[in-house]
Each structure stands twice: as C-alpha cells, then as structure tokens.
C-alpha cells in the first residue's frame, strides 16, 4: 500500500527540548540600558517570597522496572466523595511542560464532571520543560539508513517506547491506583509532538490499554514516517476483526503549525475514521490560530471533556 507523503518539519521543535535547554548568547546592552538605574532591590522589611504551589497537587519521583526515574505530578480532588467506580485518570506526557495547564483546568472545574477526575503528569526530574530522554521514551529505534532530518540526533538514545509503555500501563498505573480511588476502566492518555507520536503508537500497539487517547500535533514525519507503516498494520488487523474494542481517539492540530503539516493530521483522522464500522471512534480538533507550541494549552479543556465526559 502506498503511504501518503508528509511534509518534513523543523526537527529541533520535535525533539526533547534540545534547543530549548541550550544556552543563549546575551545581547550587549545599549547605551540607554547601560546608563539606566539598577532595578530596585527589596527592602529588608519586605515579606519574603516563596515558590507558588498549585493547590490539590502532589509530586514524587519513581523508577521504572528498568531503572529509569520519572517525576510524577498529580492533580486530584481533595474534597467530596469519588464517583461510583472511582475517578477517571488522564496521563499527560511531558509533564514538566504541560501538567500545569491540565491541572489548573481540572482544579477550577472540580464542581463539574470534568473536574471529578485525576490528572497524572509524567515527566523527568529537573526544572526544564523538556528532557532529552523523551526522544528515547516516545520514539522507535532510528531506522537505517538514517534519513537526513534525523542524522544530527543519532547520538541520542532512541527506541525505548516499548518499556515506557509498559511503565505507563503497569507500574505507574498500579502506583496511582494504590494512592487514589481510581476507575481502572477509564484511563486516558494525552501526548503532544513526540508525545503525540507515542500516543499513536500506544493505540496501534495496545488498542485496549486506554479508554481515550489524544494525539496532539503528532510528529508523523519523524524517522522516515515509520509510524505510517504501523498504522497500516493496525488498520489491517482492525478490518480483519483481530482487534475488537479500541481506544477512542482525538487528533489535535494547530492550523498555523510551522513545525509540522496540519494537513497530515486531517488525513490521519480521515483514514482512521474509515474504521468506524469496526468500532474505532475518531475526532479531529483543529485550532485555526494556534502554532505547534501553543496547541497543548489550548487543547486542555477539550481534552478533559473528551476523556472524562461519558457519552
């Protein structure tokens, strides 16, 4: 089967914050800046400042079975009784970067059904929004021969997505269930960029592992469009009746995304929507004014509604 062609994107924006964490040169001050008075310093009587801590949240580090350490962020209702069967759970990849948006959206709506749920951000120890380890956790092993857009990144580890999926659906899920009253039948996943690519892999590899999956701006052009081959295998299995029930899928994209091709997301949703006769439910959510980096914050409320509102 001939695979559709996707436009290449700027790979740096798809990677694990490599450019985001690189040091930036400081511009020389202008003459006006050099003569400007120094910023005022707090007086000795000023109230000391402290870091802001979001209410109704917790954070801890835990290791996977293969020794990889992750930072786990949780936003959960801190009052009232859990719903019958327990709270539904949404796992948010790149938790350092995106947990705050999803936790805030849940917290301010905790009197609504979408707020009676648990958000679990999965990130890495440290204060950077992205970590280079995401390239390994979210992607397949780089294919040989290396395509031009990935050659610069061959020095970084890749191909650990299978054990990372094991961690998400095994040890981490069990830890969350021990700490909170959760509904194990209502577990959902959100991923953006490389995380969106991983979200598609999770659907194709373990169609029943999550009740709902949101793939935002998935980096389908990465690694010679390898994910499209996996899509074809998944589609053949579904049509052959070998899959059965599957996750619901929402594909999210910003129409001003210059680091990917918004049209490829539309075509993905269209191809998978053709499987509706076999039980796959697909939705496409487009944001006309959003770019690659702004999609997750814009998608927070739509994701909560998609994951937590029963239909």
């Amino acid at each position: 089967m001939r695979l559709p062609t996707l436009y290449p994107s700027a790979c740096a924006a798809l990677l694990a914050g490599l450019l985001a964490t690189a040091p930036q040169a400081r511009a020389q001050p202008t003459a006006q800046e050099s003569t400007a008075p120094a910023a005022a310093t707090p007086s000795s009587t000023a109230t000391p400042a402290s870091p802001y801590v979001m209410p109704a949240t917790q954070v801890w580090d835990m290791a996977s079975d293969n020794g990889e350490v992750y930072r786990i962020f949780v936003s959960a209702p801190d009052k009232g009784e859990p719903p019958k069967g327990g709270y539904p759970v949404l796992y948010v990849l790149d938790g350092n970067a995106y947990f705050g948006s999803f936790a805030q959206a849940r917290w301010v709506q905790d009197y609504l059904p979408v707020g009676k749920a648990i958000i679990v951000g999965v990130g890495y120890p440290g204060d950077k929004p992205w970590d280079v380890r995401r390239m390994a956790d979210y992607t397949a092993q780089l294919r040989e021969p290396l395509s031009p857009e990935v050659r610069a990144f061959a020095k970084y580890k890749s191909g650990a997505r299978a054990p990372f999926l094991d961690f998400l659906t095994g040890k981490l899920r069990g830890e969350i269930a021990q700490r909170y009253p959760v509904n194990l039948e209502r577990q959902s996943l959100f991923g953006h960029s490389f995380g969106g690519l991983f979200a598609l892999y999770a659907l194709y590899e373990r169609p029943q592992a999550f009740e709902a999956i949101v793939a935002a701006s998935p980096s389908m052009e990465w690694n010679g469009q390898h994910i499209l081959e996996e899509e074809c295998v998944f589609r053949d299995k579904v049509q052959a009746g070998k899959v059965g029930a599957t996750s619901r899928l929402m594909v999210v994209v910003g129409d001003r995304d210059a680091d990917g091709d918004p049209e490829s997301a539309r075509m993905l949703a269209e191809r998978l929507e053709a499987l509706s006769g076999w039980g796959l439910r697909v939705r496409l959510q487009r944001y006309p004014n959003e770019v690659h980096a702004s999609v997750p914050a814009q998608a927070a409320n739509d994701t909560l509604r998609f994951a937590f509102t029963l239909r």
Side-chain angles (χ1 to χ4, degrees), residues 7 17 40 42 57 82 89 93 96 125 152 154-155 161 188 198 201 212 223 257 271 284 294 302:
Y7 295 101
T57 60
V89 181
L93 303 184
N96 303 66
K155 60 184 177 181
R161 60 182 185 168
S188 299
F198 176 86
Y201 162 73
N223 202 16
D257 188 345
R271 292 193 303 273
L284 175 64
S294 66
D302 286 329

Side-chain angles (χ1 to χ4, degrees), residues 194-206:
F194 267 6
L197 185 69
F198 176 86
L200 293 177
Y201 162 73
L203 172 65
Y204 303 154
E205 181 69 14
R206 299 184 192 174

Side-chain angles (χ1 to χ4, degrees), residues 89 96 124 132 189 197 216 232 259 276-277 295:
V89 181
N96 303 66
Y124 304 94
V132 70
L189 176 67
L197 185 69
C232 288
D259 295 317
S276 62
V295 162

Side-chain angles (χ1 to χ4, degrees), residues 12-304:
L14 305 176
L15 288 179
L18 296 177
L19 298 184
T21 59
Q24 302 295 319
R26 186 179 186 277
Q28 293 297 318
T30 64
Q32 182 179 2
E33 290 172 334
S34 63
T35 59
T41 57
S43 69
S44 59
T45 60
T47 301
S50 59
Y52 170 72
V53 178
M54 185 176 293
T57 60
Q58 294 182 321
V59 60
W60 69 87
D61 290 351
M62 66 178 294
S64 65
D65 289 337
N66 60 357
E68 296 291 341
V69 178
Y70 298 95
R71 180 149 295 169
I72 308 303
F73 309 82
V74 175
S75 172
D78 56 2
K79 58 182 180 296
E81 294 295 321
K84 185 178 180 180
Y87 293 111
V89 181
L90 173 68
Y91 293 87
V92 176
L93 303 184
D94 288 313
N96 303 66
Y98 303 135
F99 170 75
S101 296
F102 285 84
Q104 182 76 5
R106 188 212 66 78
W107 179 54
V108 300
Q109 300 179 85
D110 67 356
Y111 60 95
L112 297 173
V114 295
K116 293 175 173 42
I118 292 176
I119 308 295
V120 178
V122 184
Y124 304 94
D127 295 327
K128 301 294 185 182
W130 297 279
D131 190 290
V132 70
R133 288 170 53 195
R134 72 193 290 269
M135 178 174 167
D137 287 336
Y138 300 165
T139 70
Q141 186 68 42
L142 292 178
R143 305 172 72 180
E144 297 285 352
L146 297 177
S147 55
E149 76 274 8
V150 303
R151 288 172 188 162
F153 308 105
K155 60 184 177 181
Y156 300 107
K157 183 180 177 182
S158 61
R161 60 182 185 168
F164 181 66
L165 182 57
D166 288 340
F167 172 69
L168 277 182
T169 58
K171 188 173 184 178
L172 177 58
R173 187 173 291 187
E175 180 70 19
I176 297 300
Q178 286 184 358
R179 291 174 180 250
Y180 307 94
V182 302
N183 187 335
L184 293 176
E185 300 300 317
R186 298 189 62 197
Q187 309 274 305
S188 299
L189 176 67
F190 171 90
H192 172 254
S193 195
F194 267 6
L197 185 69
F198 176 86
L200 293 177
Y201 162 73
L203 172 65
Y204 303 154
E205 181 69 14
R206 299 184 192 174
Q208 292 86 33
F210 296 95
E211 193 272 330
I213 289 177
V214 178
S217 307
S219 303
M220 292 185 291
E221 70 288 340
W222 178 255
N223 202 16
Q225 306 180 77
H226 179 249
I227 194 66
L228 296 184
E229 296 179 15
E230 296 178 328
E231 178 195 325
C232 288
V233 173
F234 170 73
R235 189 164 60 242
D236 289 345
K237 288 182 178 179
V238 171
Q239 292 174 329
K242 298 179 180 180
V243 172
T246 68
S247 308
R248 293 183 290 116
L249 174 67
M250 182 163 73
V251 181
V252 177
V253 66
D255 286 347
R256 296 178 59 193
D257 188 345
D259 295 317
D261 177 19
E263 188 65 9
S264 68
R266 184 196 65 77
M267 292 188 294
L268 169 69
E270 186 175 89
R271 292 193 303 273
L272 295 182
E273 179 62 29
L275 301 176
S276 62
W278 288 268
L280 181 61
R281 296 292 178 264
V282 182
R283 177 187 301 179
L284 175 64
Q285 180 66 57
R286 301 178 68 158
Y287 298 116
N289 298 316
E290 304 306 324
V291 299
H292 193 74
S294 66
V295 162
Q298 181 68 34
N301 277 303
D302 286 329
T303 296
L304 297 190

